[in-house]
Amino acid sequence: MSIKLVAQDSWRFQLAATQPTTLTFDFTWSNSSTLEAPRSLGSVFRGLQPAALDCDLAVLLLNAQTKLPTPAAFISFATPISACKSVRHLSDNLTGTNAANKQERLQVCFDTLPTWVESLVFVVSIYEAAKRHQDFSQIQNACLLVSPVDHKPWLSLCLPKFETPITYLQLLKLTRQDNNSWLLQALLEPLPITTLPELLKIYTPTTT
């Protein structure tokens, strides 16, 4: 089974004793020399090469109010293991090379997720985008692959070509339907933000 998703597509999957309950989420992309960020005149004279575009995959574990109960429910390369040990960030790819085990990789064990987790939102961003003058218009062949552990991908979500300077993108949302099934929805929604604190603020409960 292999399904290609586009924006707003959805797919429901059932957890069963005979099926894998741990899924791997791999994000890969190409960063060719023709898509690198422009260099300043000074850097050209100094012989400096432009930094490789570094995408970062992360996931937010959200409660029934679609909020983060704590900052630790945001899993990324900086916080690679959730408190419940069900979600792990396994690979931080700095260049876009998609050789084996070189993807941005997250892994989720669904049968051990705490019951308070009602949804998961996967987000991809560009590391130090403003400093490096980079955005998603400078990458190509970007794709999120969803697969059982050590199996071929079940699903693939490929990014369209972006013309505007986007640096944060909501890729995918998984919503709990009951104890044994989840609804997976392709989002591909650009976020009007440029920093991680802005992202966390969107999903942080407001205090009165």
Side-chain angles (χ1 to χ4, degrees), residues 5-179:
L5 298 176
V6 297
Q8 305 308 312
D9 272 359
S10 61
W11 183 65
R12 179 171 173 151
F13 65 93
Q14 189 87 13
L15 302 180
T18 58
Q19 297 293 328
T21 58
T22 299
L23 295 181
T24 297
F25 300 80
D26 288 325
F27 186 78
T28 63
W29 69 97
S30 298
N31 184 26
S32 71
S33 59
T34 58
L35 296 173
E36 289 171 341
R39 291 179 285 171
S40 67
L41 187 60
S43 68
V44 172
F45 282 122
R46 293 193 299 272
L48 300 178
Q49 295 298 315
L53 196 147
D54 177 10
C55 291
D56 289 320
L57 182 65
V59 62
L60 302 107
L61 309 184
L62 306 178
N63 58 22
Q65 290 72 46
T66 322
K67 296 296 182 181
L68 290 167
T70 69
F74 176 72
I75 308 303
S76 67
F77 71 91
T79 308
I81 304 176
S82 64
C84 61
K85 306 292 193 279
S86 298
V87 184
R88 297 173 183 267
H89 190 287
L90 299 179
S91 177
D92 185 22
N93 179 8
L94 303 180
T95 64
T97 304
N98 59 1
N101 300 321
K102 290 296 185 180
Q103 300 93 343
E104 283 284 318
R105 173 169 290 179
L106 283 162
Q107 198 170 82
V108 180
C109 182
F110 287 89
D111 57 354
T112 60
L113 275 177
T115 56
W116 64 260
V117 179
E118 290 291 331
S119 60
L120 299 92
V121 173
F122 290 80
V123 178
V124 66
S125 60
I126 297 176
Y127 181 69
E128 292 188 336
K131 179 180 178 181
R132 300 180 180 187
H133 305 287
Q134 295 173 339
D135 58 66
F136 279 109
S137 69
Q138 297 168 333
I139 69 173
Q140 61 184 3
N141 302 324
C143 191
L144 180 71
L145 302 176
V146 183
S147 57
V149 177
D150 299 326
H151 287 70
K152 292 182 179 180
W154 275 353
L155 304 168
S156 61
L157 175 61
C158 296
L159 272 63
K161 176 66 176 176
F162 291 103
E163 303 297 338
T164 54
I166 298 163
T167 57
Y168 274 81
L169 184 69
Q170 293 187 134
L171 290 175
L172 196 68
K173 183 176 183 179
L174 285 81
T175 305
R176 189 191 295 270
Q177 302 296 287
D178 52 46
N179 288 334

